[in-house]
Structure formats: C-alpha cells, structure tokens
Amino acid sequence: METPNRTALVEDLMERFPHVPREAVIKEDLLRGGMAFDESALSGGDDGDVKPKSYFIFSFDHRTLPELGQAALNRPPEEIVLTGGPYELRRTVVSVRVNPDSPYRVKGGEDGSLGLYLDGRRISDVGLPPMPEYYRHKLSNGKSVMEVAPTIQWGYLIYLTVFRVCQYFGAKEECQYCDINHNWRQHKAAGRPYTGVKPSDEILEALEIIDKYDTAKASTAYTLTGGSITSKVGGKDEADFYGSYAKAIEETFPRRWIGKVVAQALPLDDVKRFHDYGIQIYHPNFEVWDKRLFELYCPGKERYVGREEWHKRILDSTEVFGARNVIPNFVAGVEMAEPFGFQTVDEAIASTQEGLRFFMSNGVVPRFTTWCPEPTTPLGKANPQGAPLEYHIRLLETYRATLEEYGLTSPPGYGPAGPGRAVFSVSSFMDSIPEGAEAEAAAS
C-alpha cells in the first residue's frame, strides 16, 4: 500500500523540482503506481462511447485479469486526460494502468462529472477518449480493428503488435520486468481474441478502415513490434518478419504514416533491410544502462547479443537511419528494483545519466517508458510499489538537462512536446520538454 498521505509527497516534489511540470509529477505517479476506478467510471466494454483499453502488448496493470473484477469485465479506458483542479493542470494524457489499491481513484462527483481523486480530494477533471469511428467497423472475418490495429496516444499512434509472444522464454531468458508472454496467456485463458501472429492481410484491412474513417488524420504513425525472434517465425528471421509488414503497408499506403519498428539491435545488414522495406524510425531498445543490471534483467539479450554488441549495433544503425531516427527505449525505474538495483536515487540517476550521455553524445536521443511492476514478472512481484516517485521526477529533470547539454531536440514520431500539448502516454518525457523543442517528422 502507498503512504496514507500521498498528497504531501506529491506537493513536496512539485515544490522541490519547479522546473518539472506539475502535470508530469501527477502523471508519473499514476504511471508508476496505477489508478483505481469506481465501477461507474469504467468504459462500458467494446461497444460503448468510450475507447476501451486494448492491452496492445503488455498488461500494464498491477493485478492479473482475474484479480481486477469489474475492471476486467467492464474495461477501463485506454487513456484518460487530466485538466484543471487545484493544481490547474494543463491537458495531460495518461495511459491507464489499473491498481485497485492506488490512492488515486477515478470516479464521478456530485454533479456526475468524472474526476481524479487523491487521498479522497478531487485534484483534476477527467476526460475519456471517445470511441473512434474506425473501432465501430469490423474486418471481413469479423475481427475488430481494436484487436488487429489498436491506436494509443489519443489516436496518434497505431500499435501493431504482430507477434504476441517472445522467443526469449522462461526464467533464464525472459526480461525480468516484461509480461508479454503472460499477457498473451491471460487473454487466451479469459477467452478474449488475441491473435498470436497477425496476418498481413488483416493488418492492411484494418489500416484501410482506419484510413477511411480517420478523416481528421489524427493517426500519424504506426509501430511494428512484438516479441524478440531468436530463430524464425513463418520461415522468416526478425528483420524479414517485421520488415515484410512494413513493405506491405508502405506499398499500399505510401507515406500515409510514419513507419516505426521496435526490434532487437540487429546487425547492420538486417537494419538496412528494415530501411529498404520502408521503415523510417528504428527502436532497438537498450532497456537498462548499468552493465550488471542489464545482464541480470535481460538474460536472453545478454546471451544472444550481449550488452556491448547491443550498444555498438545501436550506433551502427545510425549509418542507415540517421542518428535522430534511431530511438532506443529504456524502462525507467527498474534501476531501483530490489534486490539487485541501486539503493539510492542518486546512484540510479547517475547510472541512467551515463547512458543518456553515451547515446546523446553520438546524436542518438533515447526515450523511456515508466516501469509498471506487473505482478507476474519477477521484478514486479518483488517490487509491487515500483521505483520511488522522486527517481522518476529527477529523471525528467536529468533527461531535459542532457538534451540541452548536447543541443538536441526530442525524438521524432512522438507528436508535440510541452505540458498541455504532449500525447505520448506511457511516460512524461514529452510533457517535460519545452514547447517547440520537438523534432520534425522523420526524414523520408
């Protein structure tokens, strides 16, 4: 359980770190610790007026589906938007991570309007994402667009998890914070549609529906992703498997969206194939900077590639995509996970900053996802509270300072920057960068 008076901690951090937008302080706390929902605030399922949570790759919840009760049966929204309240919050988009024990609760007020409550006090108004028109249309085989090509970041990004499991499997290979394989199992056990390998023709049909009904052109980018491939899927290695989807998309919808791929750090010839297939942005995620923690937390990646080779491949890939279009992610917070992580915030920030400087000094701008300690993962079981909020707030300060140190802008393909403008929902790094400091769309 969280401290009985979370408000005092939050306000103390707002006061101590005035350069971090107060919106980001609230957002990071929601991402690291989750939020609870009154039953009346749940979305109403797949046919209502609210865009439901799609579970697009990981669970991003603090409980398993069987433990969520009504929040599993009557889905929560994909995201919420915060505005107003005593902190005068500017528009802030937050990915929903459900935690029934969170001190933050979404519920209706006396007038029926939804609000976010902390320690029983209403701290902001809550807006829900409207059900997009393209979600109301089925594929010819009856599958939903939400299952095949869900959108996140308030509709900005189409998230194409085309391979729902990871070939790093079991305790000796799986990343210790990742629940992609369990998420697959729990959805299948619940009888939900959750396609393991998504056929290319289904992806194209779903994108055709999105393109037809997204008349405002809110969807700006797509991400191709899924589990790591150490052998082959459908006779294809990782570069050809994910690249074949990009090729089909770009041939059918040339440059309609910014094409991105999340994959392992691959050899240069494989990276060139991604580029040839039409991918514009490459995400070879480095996960955690510290050498010892990488070896402990990413045993499969250490075994098959190795940390030093992983970093070398990231820098090599800039020859193909250009430095600003190589954007490795790290999982912010696992640096402090017991029993192996750093004991102090100072140590954890110093380590992460070393990694940021390594990449940014080479023109590569990483981004990060705020760690959600999912309960079926080894690190989640051992650290149900995640990392201290102070770590996340200081990371935002450090990230911005390091960008400025090297004269860099935020990475492309993430929409607008700045508090009140950002749509990236799984961390606050875009909320914390000054307005106008974002990069332009990826180079063609």
Side-chain angles (χ1 to χ4, degrees):
M1 294 290 290
E2 299 282 4
T3 174
N5 189 355
R6 194 74 183 168
T7 302
L9 173 64
V10 167
E11 292 184 347
D12 176 64
L13 290 168
M14 287 178 176
E15 185 175 339
R16 287 170 54 202
F17 300 96
H19 297 303
V20 175
R22 55 183 53 195
E23 292 85 357
V25 177
I26 299 291
K27 180 170 175 174
E28 286 299 307
D29 211 19
L30 288 167
L31 291 172
R32 57 158 293 285
M35 63 187 83
F37 284 83
D38 272 11
E39 189 173 337
S40 60
L42 294 171
S43 71
D46 300 350
D47 300 316
D49 295 326
V50 175
K51 185 182 188 183
K53 182 167 176 169
S54 61
Y55 292 89
F56 50 89
I57 185 166
F58 312 117
S59 73
F60 281 135
D61 282 335
H62 290 251
R63 297 287 185 275
T64 63
L65 279 179
E67 295 170 332
L68 288 179
Q70 284 300 315
L73 301 173
N74 189 4
R75 291 194 191 195
E78 185 76 79
E79 295 151 331
I80 60 173
V81 64
L82 308 177
T83 53
Y87 305 120
E88 298 179 341
L89 301 182
R90 291 161 286 189
R91 184 178 187 274
T92 305
V93 181
V94 187
S95 178
V96 166
R97 300 174 173 186
V98 183
N99 181 2
D101 294 329
S102 172
Y104 293 91
R105 179 168 291 273
V106 178
K107 63 180 181 179
E110 291 182 2
D111 62 355
S113 66
L114 284 184
L116 179 67
Y117 291 75
L118 174 59
D119 297 327
R121 169 182 172 237
R122 186 175 176 121
I123 63 167
S124 85
D125 297 332
V126 168
L128 302 179
M131 181 74 81
E133 180 61 30
Y134 48 79
Y135 268 21
R136 300 186 186 279
H137 298 267
K138 302 283 188 183
L139 276 63
S140 57
N141 61 8
K143 288 187 179 180
S144 68
V145 171
M146 185 179 74
E147 157 60 11
V148 177
T151 56
I152 59 174
Q153 297 170 26
W154 220 256
Y156 178 90
L157 180 68
I158 305 169
Y159 208 92
L160 303 173
T161 312
V162 294
F163 184 41
R164 292 281 204 178
V165 294
C166 181
Q167 290 186 348
Y168 290 138
F169 196 82
K172 294 184 179 180
E173 290 194 352
E174 287 180 348
C175 292
Q176 300 296 287
Y177 47 80
C178 176
D179 80 341
I180 184 173
N181 287 330
H182 173 77
N183 195 40
W184 153 261
R185 289 191 293 267
Q186 73 168 355
H187 281 265
K188 297 302 287 185
R192 291 182 173 184
Y194 212 72
T195 308
V197 177
K198 296 180 180 179
S200 183
D201 60 345
E202 290 184 6
I203 296 289
L204 294 178
E205 188 178 356
L207 292 177
E208 184 178 1
I209 293 170
I210 293 174
D211 187 48
K212 179 179 179 180
Y213 292 102
D214 178 21
T215 55
K217 295 291 188 280
S219 58
T220 304
Y222 66 82
T223 292
L224 283 164
T225 187
S228 296
I229 297 172
T230 57
S231 54
K232 292 188 176 182
V233 174
K236 297 175 180 176
D237 63 15
E238 186 161 306
D240 275 343
F241 176 77
Y242 289 112
S244 65
Y245 290 92
K247 182 174 186 290
I249 292 168
E250 293 303 323
E251 287 177 349
T252 308
F253 308 97
R255 299 297 175 173
R256 164 63 178 87
W257 297 281
I258 300 168
K260 308 196 283 186
V261 66
V262 179
Q264 298 190 83
L266 297 174
L268 199 57
D269 285 347
D270 289 353
V271 174
K272 289 176 180 175
R273 277 187 280 162
F274 278 146
H275 188 269
D276 291 344
Y277 284 134
I279 290 295
Q280 296 177 64
I281 294 176
Y282 177 40
H283 298 292
N285 299 338
F286 74 86
E287 315 298 10
V288 63
W289 174 253
D290 182 74
K291 182 177 187 296
R292 180 179 64 94
L293 295 182
F294 182 88
E295 292 169 355
L296 287 167
Y297 293 169
C298 306
K301 292 177 178 179
E302 175 63 25
R303 173 184 168 191
Y304 281 88
V305 180
R307 176 179 178 271
E308 284 68 33
E309 178 65 16
W310 196 282
H311 294 168
K312 178 182 180 297
R313 291 178 181 183
I314 289 174
L315 298 186
D316 287 348
S317 67
T318 65
E319 299 174 21
V320 177
F321 284 97
R324 76 191 191 100
N325 294 331
V326 176
I327 309 169
N329 184 69
F330 63 99
V331 185
V334 296
E335 296 90 341
M336 298 197 69
E338 295 180 351
F340 305 112
F342 294 105
Q343 296 296 302
T344 68
V345 173
D346 285 348
E347 292 173 305
I349 290 293
S351 174
T352 305
Q353 185 176 42
E354 181 181 293
L356 291 175
R357 284 180 166 155
F358 172 82
F359 289 114
M360 290 188 187
S361 66
N362 287 283
V364 172
V365 177
R367 52 102 174 183
F368 57 90
T369 300
T370 301
W371 175 40
C372 176
E374 288 118 336
T376 59
T377 65
L379 292 184
K381 286 178 184 176
N383 301 268
Q385 304 300 329
L389 179 57
E390 181 175 339
Y391 167 82
H392 293 286
I393 304 314
R394 288 180 58 182
L395 175 60
L396 293 171
E397 186 178 58
T398 299
Y399 184 91
R400 175 175 166 177
T402 312
L403 270 183
E404 293 172 352
E405 178 183 350
Y406 291 101
L408 299 169
T409 59
S410 68
Y414 287 89
R421 302 179 72 240
V423 295
F424 187 68
S425 58
V426 293
S427 86
S428 305
F429 86 91
M430 289 296 289
D431 304 76
S432 303
I433 298 171
E435 181 178 341
E438 70 269 23
E440 296 177 358
S444 59

